[in-house]
Amino acid sequence: MIGAAGDTATAVELEASADPETAGDLDLVTFPNDGSYDELVLVRDIAFEAPCDNDGLPYHGVVHVAYAPVRRVVGASEVARLVEHVAADASTQEELTVRIATVLSAAMSARGAGVVVEAEHWGLRSGVRGALTVTTASTGCLRDDPAVRAEFLAATRHPSRVAVSRSGSA
């Protein structure tokens, strides 16, 4: 996508295939990292619901997504769209977690990406109602650098201090 001020945004098209690093026909709009921002970018508490590949029943919860940018950054709404898009396909929670991390990392050519999914499953087979299942997946520096990984995981645990209103006003 070309903005009025020139090449301000680029759509990264992820082609459809069976490869777990793709997300069908989703285009992620990215922006130049003109300020050379090199710290983690974290989008927390993205609500989702997905069909479980094991029993067909839904599971729902929140996803926390982080990445370490290089040349491009992506807006929070694009990260939420990625989660929504990947969650539309039936999968296990573990598969969902890994797919979000690998798709974002590949699409952004990021130094690394990390995902934490916290979900409640509606499946009756487990016999554990109300339990929260937490899965993690990471690539690059979020996987290989213990300090960066610890920073990411700690940031997902902090309660929000921002009053968020779904109606558009704080």
Side-chain angles (χ1 to χ4, degrees):
M1 297 175 73
I2 305 289
D7 184 17
T8 58
T10 299
V12 178
E13 184 173 344
L14 305 171
E15 297 177 11
S17 79
D19 188 325
E21 292 187 1
T22 65
D25 58 358
L26 180 67
D27 290 336
L28 290 179
V29 177
T30 66
F31 301 90
N33 186 10
D34 293 334
S36 298
Y37 186 80
D38 64 354
E39 298 291 328
L40 289 182
V41 176
L42 172 65
V43 182
R44 290 185 359 172
D45 301 325
I46 303 167
F48 81 98
E49 182 170 299
C52 183
D53 198 28
N54 287 335
D55 56 22
L57 295 172
Y59 59 100
H60 68 279
V62 294
V63 180
H64 314 294
V65 179
Y67 68 96
V70 179
R71 292 186 271 319
R72 312 286 299 173
V73 293
V74 64
S77 64
E78 294 297 295
V79 174
R81 279 190 338 110
L82 171 61
V83 169
E84 182 179 84
H85 189 82
V86 172
D89 294 331
S91 64
T92 65
Q93 182 174 331
E94 295 84 355
E95 292 166 340
L96 174 77
T97 308
V98 169
R99 190 158 185 229
I100 294 168
T102 56
V103 166
L104 184 64
S105 186
M108 296 295 300
S109 298
R111 289 184 297 125
V115 176
V116 174
V117 176
E118 302 174 20
E120 181 179 15
H121 292 253
W122 292 29
L124 300 177
R125 294 180 185 168
S126 68
V128 183
R129 290 189 181 179
L132 194 63
T133 302
V134 179
T135 52
T136 64
S138 54
T139 67
C141 66
L142 277 96
R143 179 182 200 114
D144 302 332
D145 185 326
V148 176
R149 182 172 178 83
E151 176 186 354
F152 162 59
L153 293 174
T156 65
R157 293 187 200 110
H158 289 216
S160 179
R161 294 184 180 175
V162 178
V164 177
S165 170
R166 300 282 182 209
S167 66
S169 61

